[in-house]
Amino acid sequence: MCCLGIKKGNEGDLLMEITYVGQNGFIITDNKIKICFDLYLSNCVLEKTGRGKRNYESPYDVQAVADVDYYFISHNHLDHLDIDTISKLAVCATDIIYICPAPYQKVLEELGIQKKNIMPAKAYETYKIFDDLQFTAIPEKHEEYLLINGEHCNLGYVIAWGKYNIYFAGDVIADKKLAEDLKAKGPYNIMFVPINGHDWKRYDEDLMGNMTYREAVDLCCYVGTDYIVPMHYDLFENNTENPAFFVDYLYRKYFGQKFKMFMPEESMIVN
C-alpha cells in the first residue's frame, strides 16, 4: 500500500483510502463511511453480449463489498451498472444507498433494490449525503448527450468530502462544456478519468467511446488537479489502451503534473 500526499490538513484530519477494483471501479473509504464507483465484479458483459472477455478476474466478490454505504453509478452499461453484482447485493446488503442517473431508477428497482435505497441524481444538482460529504452530478457526453424525459443518462460526480475535492468520470468524451462545468467546481485533489479513446471502428461495433489519453490529460490540466488517475483502459481485451502513451504525453506536455496509475486491488492512502 502506498501513501499519496496531496495537501496538508489540520491535525487529526481523517485519511482516505482508495482501492482500484478494475475498469472504472474504485472503492474509497475513511474511518466513517465507504463509497464505491461503477463496480464491475462479474462477467456479465461477456455472458450477455458474447464479447468483452476480461483480461483479469475481479479481485473482489460481492461479499467483499457488502459493507459499502454509498454506491455510485454513472450510466446504464453493464461494466458500470453491473446487474449481476447489484442483484446479489440487493439480497445480502440491504442498507446500501445507490446513486444513479434519474432515468435508471427503475432499472435498479427491477434488480431488487428498494426505492428508498435509491437516490436518482439529476444534472447540476448537489446532494448532501453525510456530515462532510456531498456530491454534484455533472452531465457527460458518451459519444453524445443522452436524455430521457429531459434528464441526463450519463453523469460524472464531483465529490466534496471534507478537505478533498474529487471528480469521478463515467464514460465520457471531453468537450468544452465538460471542461467549463468541471472548472467551475475545481480545482481538484484527484480526477479519475477514462483514457481508452474513441474511433469510428469501435463505434461501428457498438463500443461507445471515451476521451483519449491526450484529451484526458488536457482536460485535467485545464481544470486543475493535484493528481490524475487514468482508468478504463485495462480490463477488456477488445477495448484497451496502452497507458504508456498517457505517461509520455503528460511528461512531455505537462512536466511536473502528478499522476497515479493503479494495479487491480492496489490501495493508496491519501493524506
Side-chain angles (χ1 to χ4, degrees):
M1 184 181 296
C2 64
C3 184
L4 179 64
I6 289 184
K7 64 182 180 180
K8 292 183 178 180
N10 298 320
E11 186 176 353
D13 277 349
L14 297 176
L15 298 180
M16 177 181 292
E17 181 180 358
I18 302 172
T19 302
Y20 181 48
V21 181
Q23 188 71 338
N24 234 56
F26 282 85
I27 299 170
I28 306 179
T29 185
D30 60 15
N31 68 0
K32 294 187 294 185
I33 61 173
K34 180 181 288 189
I35 66 177
C36 67
F37 299 90
D38 283 359
L39 295 185
Y40 180 61
L41 309 183
S42 74
N43 201 30
C44 67
V45 171
L46 180 62
E47 293 168 355
K48 299 295 183 182
T49 70
R51 59 183 181 177
K53 182 180 178 181
R54 298 184 68 118
N55 288 324
Y56 53 87
E57 293 302 313
S58 171
Y60 298 104
D61 61 15
V62 169
Q63 289 297 329
V65 300
D67 61 344
V68 163
D69 296 295
Y70 297 97
Y71 189 128
F72 286 80
I73 298 165
S74 63
H75 65 293
N76 188 21
H77 280 171
L78 292 173
D79 56 327
H80 298 260
L81 196 163
D82 181 347
I83 58 175
D84 286 0
T85 293
I86 293 172
S87 61
K88 292 175 182 176
L89 287 172
V91 176
C92 70
T94 57
D95 292 331
I96 296 175
I97 302 299
Y98 294 82
I99 297 158
C100 69
Y104 300 129
Q105 176 176 342
K106 292 295 184 183
V107 175
L108 294 182
E109 291 179 16
E110 290 169 0
L111 294 175
I113 305 301
Q114 296 185 51
K115 189 174 183 178
K116 67 180 180 63
N117 288 74
I118 303 171
M119 291 184 64
K122 298 182 179 182
Y124 300 116
E125 294 292 326
T126 298
Y127 305 83
K128 184 174 182 179
I129 58 176
F130 201 70
D131 292 342
D132 60 351
L133 174 59
Q134 67 179 31
F135 72 90
T136 302
I138 304 296
E140 295 184 329
K141 181 174 70 174
H142 193 12
E143 296 289 358
E144 60 184 4
Y145 288 102
L146 177 63
L147 289 84
I148 295 178
N149 296 326
E151 301 295 345
H152 281 271
C153 297
N154 298 281
L155 297 175
Y157 300 100
V158 172
I159 312 291
W161 191 349
K163 66 180 180 179
Y164 305 109
N165 197 36
I166 300 167
Y167 168 59
F168 190 88
D171 279 352
V172 57
I173 293 177
D175 60 5
K176 184 67 170 176
K177 175 177 168 54
L178 178 65
E180 296 304 332
D181 284 347
L182 292 177
K183 197 173 185 68
K185 294 291 184 180
Y188 298 87
N189 300 110
I190 309 174
M191 294 179 70
F192 296 83
V193 288
I195 64 165
N196 62 302
H198 55 99
D199 54 63
W200 71 266
K201 187 174 187 299
R202 280 182 286 184
Y203 185 80
D204 193 53
E205 295 171 351
D206 201 30
L207 290 173
M208 301 298 100
N210 281 315
M211 59 184 89
T212 67
Y213 62 86
R214 292 174 62 111
E215 292 168 340
V217 169
D218 289 342
L219 172 71
C220 293
C221 292
Y222 174 79
V223 169
T225 185
D226 291 334
Y227 279 83
I228 305 173
V229 175
M231 59 183 183
H232 207 292
Y233 61 85
D234 63 345
L235 183 60
F236 296 123
E237 62 180 8
N238 62 330
N239 196 15
T240 60
E241 180 57 278
N242 184 346
F245 298 149
F246 163 86
V247 177
D248 178 69
Y249 182 68
L250 185 65
Y251 179 83
R252 287 186 293 107
K253 188 166 183 181
Y254 299 100
F255 183 80
Q257 171 65 54
K258 293 173 285 187
F259 68 96
K260 169 62 183 171
M261 290 172 57
F262 283 83
M263 293 298 291
E265 203 175 3
E266 181 182 1
S267 293
M268 174 183 75
I269 297 294
V270 179
N271 58 22

